[in-house]
Amino acid sequence: MRLRAIFQPDQREFVTMALTEHLARLKEIEAQAQADFTNAPGTKELYDQKVRYFGKQGSFSELMRVMGKLGPEDKPTFGKEVNETKQRLEALYNQQESQLKSQEMATRLAQEALDLSLPGPERSQGSRHPISLVINEVISILSRIGYSVRLGPQIEGDWFNFEALNIPPDHPSRDLQDTFYVDDHHVLRTHTSPVQIHTLLNEIPPLRVLAPGSVFRCDSDVSHSPNFHQIEGMLVDRKVSMADLKGTLSYFVKELFGSSLKVRFRPSFFPFTEPSAEFDCSCPICQGKGCRMCKHSGWVEIGGCGLINPKVLMQAGLDPLEWQGLAFGFGIERMAIIKYGVQDIRLFNENDLRFLRQFE
Ligand code: PHE
């Protein structure tokens, strides 16, 4: 080392001068970096500055190259200065970064704050189908006079749907046009009356039962749907007469449509009732004056009824001299049409929400 200093005095001089210059340059860089770090408006800009000074192409890489060219006597001094400067700047950087980070977090929190007072999106609530509404109302009215619900299968044995109800094999309602046959001995029930048979075979009178449900017939137009609903009523007891039937149905109609309505029986025929009747009530829309709904007759048809045919009771092992019964069967769609003024029976099965929402 000494030899080198002695034999190369000029170079020593040159390098010493250069060192002061380099140190001055280092001070300049530090001052500039301090200003740049302090003035950076956000973390992104701050990071860009960091790259400018400490990156591969940055000022400090350049200073390292300078150091490589320094003489061994100057290297430690310069190296020490560079390192200390770097440490100071890094400390400043970290301090700035955490300050900017918390500022940015604060603005984000303010911007993205949830407005808890804002009402949420409305959830639509389902509602009961008008057919269910009518079924439930009929059940509620008749349960007040002792009736309770029984359910039967929708695929019914031929015997239950027809034979046991005294419908002989050549009866027109068995015609293929009216009945959906599942196989030779099973049909989609064409009415709820087979539930009468199931009940008579399984239970001991006195009985008061209601059987609501789907029924099926090959028929489709404005007033007929291949799948519609009925509710069956049956009462079996000692000394049952037409007076009981009329009293029951008058009570029912008044509860369902209002007290000012009149009821009437028209003689009719059903194989499973004797005597049989069609049951009408004065039109609830026009109060019997005549309107489109009642086809200007003042009356609307509710369903069929009668006293249970003794043959049916005997099929079920009951002695008709001891037990009598009354039965009635109403079309639910028919009642819903009257109650809600619906024009087309097909609306009940179309699932059009504009229609269904009116019953919410
Ligand atoms: N089951 C008959 C029908 O579907 C209605 C009815 C029921 C008639 C009970 C009399 C007694 O038309």
Side-chain angles (χ1 to χ4, degrees), residues 158-315:
D158 190 279
W159 186 82
F160 282 96
N161 196 80
F162 296 124
E163 214 108 333
L165 288 160
N166 192 35
I167 303 175
D170 52 359
H171 193 274
S173 73
R174 288 196 171 204
D175 197 308
L176 277 174
Q177 280 177 2
D178 288 327
T179 307
F180 289 110
Y181 276 84
V182 176
D183 60 34
D184 285 352
H185 301 292
H186 294 89
V187 300
L188 295 185
R189 66 177 178 192
T190 58
H191 52 178
T192 43
S193 301
V195 185
Q196 288 187 33
I197 306 301
H198 289 290
T199 312
L200 289 172
L201 292 176
N202 288 319
E203 299 182 36
I204 297 162
L207 294 167
R208 291 180 193 194
V209 299
L210 284 176
S214 258
V215 299
F216 307 85
R217 288 181 200 177
C218 281
D219 216 348
S220 185
D221 60 41
V222 205
S223 52
H224 294 90
S225 161
N227 171 208
F228 59 103
H229 299 79
Q230 288 187 332
I231 189 158
E232 189 86 6
M234 176 179 79
L235 176 149
V236 178
D237 209 330
R238 296 181 172 91
K239 297 196 178 77
V240 178
S241 74
M242 283 298 274
D244 300 305
L245 181 61
K246 194 158 189 175
T248 304
L249 297 181
S250 305
Y251 156 78
F252 167 70
V253 162
K254 282 173 186 160
E255 291 292 308
L256 187 68
F257 294 122
S259 58
S260 59
L261 296 178
K262 284 190 285 222
V263 292
R264 76 174 183 190
F265 283 140
R266 279 179 292 120
S268 184
F269 173 78
F270 297 102
F272 39 93
T273 47
E274 184 58 38
S276 302
E278 294 287 348
F279 172 66
D280 303 340
C281 79
S282 51
C283 177
I285 309 293
C286 61
Q287 310 293 322
K289 289 185 204 69
C291 68
R292 248 182 65 174
M293 174 66 71
C294 58
K295 301 196 184 93
H296 303 283
S297 68
W299 295 96
V300 289
E301 203 180 302
I302 304 289
C305 60
L307 294 185
I308 299 174
N309 192 318
K311 284 189 187 169
V312 174
L313 293 171
M314 285 190 305
Q315 289 255 33

Side-chain angles (χ1 to χ4, degrees), residues 140-155:
S140 128
I141 292 171
L142 289 169
S143 66
R144 297 203 281 275
I145 55 170
Y147 285 78
S148 59
V149 172
R150 304 290 185 281
L151 299 175
Q154 292 179 8
I155 295 178

